[in-house]
Amino acid sequence: MRVVLLGTAAGGGFPQWNCACELCTAARDGELPSRTQECAAVTGNGRDWWLLNASPDLRAQLTATPALRPGPGPRDTPLRGVLLTDAEADHVTGLAELRGAAGLKIYAAPPVRAVLAPARAALDRYAPWEWADSLADGGFVLAGGLVVTAHPVGAKIPKYVPAQVPPPAGPWVTAYRVEDLASGGVLVYAPCVASWSEELDELCSEADCVLLDGTFCTADEMRGAVRSGAGQAAMGHLPVTGPDGSLAALARHRGARRVYTHLNNTNPLLDPASPARARAAEEGVEVLPDGAELVL
Ligand code: MLT
Ligand code: MN
Ligand code: ZN
């Protein structure tokens, strides 16, 4: 299985267009690597590729990735579809970039499918796509020899969902376990994790690679940024540090390659020279640049 990290920043990207914080300024000045919004691509056979989320930066991400070049026919593409982990704007708006591509298959949990129904109706007018339940019993098999199961990891409802009407019920945020039947390699993809569950822990214990929510380093790092920090806890991302943080949890899974993604522009992990980055490296947890490829 090959996994390409198309983008590794949280919503807004890095630098964020309207942010003048120290980290964003350093990225703008070319002192830190810029990052596009979180999204990945995976294949079992090198011919059939599947997106993990669809970021607003998708067009640039696809055109920068040689493996995803179209051809040989004028509208042939190795892209077969998209697996959504949630309905957040930074994970679904890239679907609009794919409009008109024939025959894509989109997997999502029931509340995500429900809230995207109007977008789906609009996209279907460009080219009909097949939408499937990511949580269907027994999981699903993707072209290219990948077997996938989805696992609930959070309940955060996106801000754009109106609060007045009862929201669709069910798990809003999921992780994916992707297994390559040929190599036996197992990827756990979890860019949005509200809290560490036993189920997630079990998934990680059997994984060869974990691509994990690294949005925030600390529980209060939004404080001091332009927005007030009050809402950070409600954003559905467990921080890296602290007794209940992800780094402590990942320390139990040294058998897997562990990589942080979905990094917010406030996160000191963005700076390779930061103490935070040194701490993660000490634990063997990686932060990789956009475009990095993993083989498992
Ligand atoms: C998140 O990951 O918490 C969301 O993408 C934030 C947002 O952009 O609304
Ligand atoms: Mn996000
Ligand atoms: Zn910033």
Side-chain angles (χ1 to χ4, degrees):
M1 165 166 36
R2 289 165 66 193
V3 185
V4 179
L5 309 188
L6 297 178
T8 53
F14 182 62
Q16 181 173 301
W17 73 274
N18 61 347
C19 187
C21 78
E22 230 171 272
L23 286 166
C24 285
T25 303
R28 214 168 271 121
D29 290 343
E31 292 158 14
L32 293 177
S34 293
R35 294 170 186 271
T36 58
Q37 295 167 91
E38 198 280 321
C39 188
V42 62
T43 185
N45 61 4
R47 294 185 304 278
D48 301 292
W49 285 83
W50 296 86
L51 291 178
L52 300 169
N53 288 324
S55 95
D57 298 320
L58 194 50
R59 184 196 163 277
Q61 293 168 336
L62 294 175
T63 53
T65 308
L68 293 166
R69 281 176 79 108
R75 283 291 185 275
D76 289 346
T77 157
L79 194 60
R80 303 287 170 255
V82 185
L83 283 60
L84 300 172
T85 58
D86 55 77
E88 293 294 332
D90 59 335
H91 280 159
V92 303
T93 47
L95 291 175
E97 297 295 317
L98 303 176
R99 68 192 180 281
L104 297 186
K105 188 155 185 180
I106 317 293
Y107 291 89
V112 175
R113 288 169 64 196
V115 82
L116 293 180
R120 173 181 173 182
L123 289 165
D124 270 352
R125 287 195 276 276
Y126 293 85
W129 293 347
E130 188 183 343
W131 288 67
D133 180 0
S134 61
L135 285 159
D137 274 350
F140 49 95
V141 181
L142 299 176
L146 301 175
V147 175
V148 183
T149 49
H151 305 266
V153 287
K156 195 219 166 191
I157 299 173
K159 268 190 192 170
Y160 64 81
V161 178
Q164 309 85 292
V165 281
W172 280 85
V173 185
T174 54
Y176 286 107
R177 177 191 187 274
V178 184
E179 178 172 358
D180 183 334
L181 288 178
S183 73
V186 173
L187 168 75
V188 171
Y189 173 70
C192 296
V193 174
S195 61
W196 201 267
S197 64
E198 255 174 58
E199 185 177 356
L200 181 59
D201 203 67
E202 204 157 302
L203 285 171
C204 290
S205 68
E206 292 166 3
D208 296 292
C209 178
V210 181
L211 199 47
L212 190 72
D213 186 337
T215 310
F216 299 119
C217 199
T218 56
D220 63 352
E221 87 186 34
M222 295 279 286
R223 197 164 27 151
V226 183
R227 274 198 271 174
S228 116
Q232 186 179 321
M235 288 181 75
H237 301 288
L238 82 174
V240 166
T241 58
D244 298 323
S246 58
L247 199 57
L250 287 175
R252 295 194 292 273
H253 303 290
R254 296 204 168 116
R257 186 165 183 188
R258 298 152 300 160
V259 180
Y260 277 128
T261 190
H262 196 271
L263 302 162
N264 196 54
N265 71 81
T266 50
N267 191 330
L269 284 174
L270 290 162
D271 182 355
S274 66
R277 189 77 163 259
R279 178 67 199 91
E282 217 172 90
E283 182 43 63
V285 179
E286 299 170 82
V287 174
L288 298 173
D290 282 13
E293 183 169 327
L294 312 167
V295 179
L296 44 149

